[in-house]
Amino acid sequence: MLGERLAAALGAARDGAAGIESFAHLLGSRRVGPRGVALALPEVCEGCTALLAALGSLSAAVRDGFVEAGDIAAADAACAALDHASVEAARLTDELSRAAAGAAPGRAPLRGAGRGERGGVDARQRLALEASVRRAARELSGSLRLSELVMATLELRPTPLDLIDVLRNWSASPTEGRPVIAISVASSDGRANEVEGDVRAVSGLMELAVGMVSAAGVASPHVSVFRLADGRSTVRIAQRSAGDAAPAVSLDVVVRDGGERAVAVARVVARRAHIELAEAAGGRAVTMTF
């Protein structure tokens, strides 16, 4: 079944990305010496090779799923994110393979190494490797998240939601190495917060919208929630103006996604989740109507 294919490939891709994240932590730990890093490198290289295969399988399963659903644009958006992940994984695989070859036992002893200790990664190489691995971990995390957000629309599960609660439940750690920004939220009517939607699609779309206006230069986005005359709810994310209501909630959030791939995903998710998405010229304001 297609669902089983997706689940298996996604699980393998997540495991591979988690392995790279774990290696980044190992490189940052001063409890692990150069010899320990050298011993870990071959296994991490194998994991990268497996990750590349998993990303290829996931991309094929995603495309088949959306072709079957008659939505080529959704397939393209998800696969563009996965293609970016594959490029990053291939880059890292090549770099780690070269590092493993240079750190193999039998190499000349490192400066300062004990008698008989051969191979390893010196401090300068280790810092460069750590920066590269952390970059790959961030890119893989972001790309997988974007593709998963599109995948979620294959099986939407609408439930009653409170938009303020959705915003409060954002979870992203500043340790991810991504920028943290402050957002303010104002609601003109408590009933405007109440919408029907798939929590994964709504939460992900609002995060992407904040990232879109932030990328356009809005330093502290203001989220306004209000009710239209026809009973629908509208969310507008833009720079706060003098006429906006006073904030009811202030939050610090991590901007995880931006750029063309994120915008393409936002448009696809909004369309498939039946949420009207409007972008102002220059991208400095995004409006969603539920």
Side-chain angles (χ1 to χ4, degrees), residues 182-278:
I183 67 170
S184 55
V185 186
S187 177
S188 59
D189 177 357
R191 292 176 302 166
N193 304 337
E194 301 167 3
V195 301
E196 183 97 358
D198 182 284
V199 66
R200 298 163 300 173
V202 173
S203 177
L205 187 56
M206 291 182 74
E207 273 197 71
L208 290 178
V210 168
M212 288 161 65
V213 299
S214 177
V218 177
S220 299
H222 180 70
V223 182
S224 302
V225 184
F226 53 93
R227 185 79 96 178
L228 296 177
D230 61 8
R232 294 183 299 165
S233 293
T234 290
V235 175
R236 184 175 186 273
I237 303 173
Q239 190 72 49
R240 188 180 177 205
S241 63
D244 286 329
V249 178
S250 295
L251 302 168
D252 288 335
V253 300
V254 173
V255 179
R256 294 191 288 190
D257 303 297
E260 293 181 4
R261 285 184 297 275
V263 172
V265 165
R267 291 169 179 163
V268 163
V269 170
R271 173 174 55 78
R272 290 186 59 83
H274 308 294
I275 298 170
E276 293 180 13
L277 180 71

Side-chain angles (χ1 to χ4, degrees), residues 114-201:
R115 183 185 298 273
E117 184 177 349
R118 304 176 70 83
V121 177
D122 66 30
R124 179 183 58 79
Q125 293 170 324
R126 180 170 180 162
L127 285 173
L129 198 58
E130 182 182 354
S132 181
V133 173
R134 289 194 181 280
R135 166 193 154 182
R138 286 194 301 271
E139 294 298 318
L140 287 166
S141 172
S143 294
L144 280 175
R145 178 179 170 277
L146 288 175
S147 64
E148 286 182 66
L149 187 52
V150 181
M151 281 183 249
T153 67
L154 280 169
E155 191 179 3
L156 293 167
R157 303 187 185 103
T159 58
L161 300 174
D162 185 301
L163 292 173
I164 301 297
D165 287 344
V166 168
L167 290 169
R168 282 180 168 150
N169 287 335
W170 281 2
S171 58
S173 170
T175 59
E176 291 176 344
R178 303 179 187 277
V180 177
I181 63 169
I183 67 170
S184 55
V185 186
S187 177
S188 59
D189 177 357
R191 292 176 302 166
N193 304 337
E194 301 167 3
V195 301
E196 183 97 358
D198 182 284
V199 66
R200 298 163 300 173

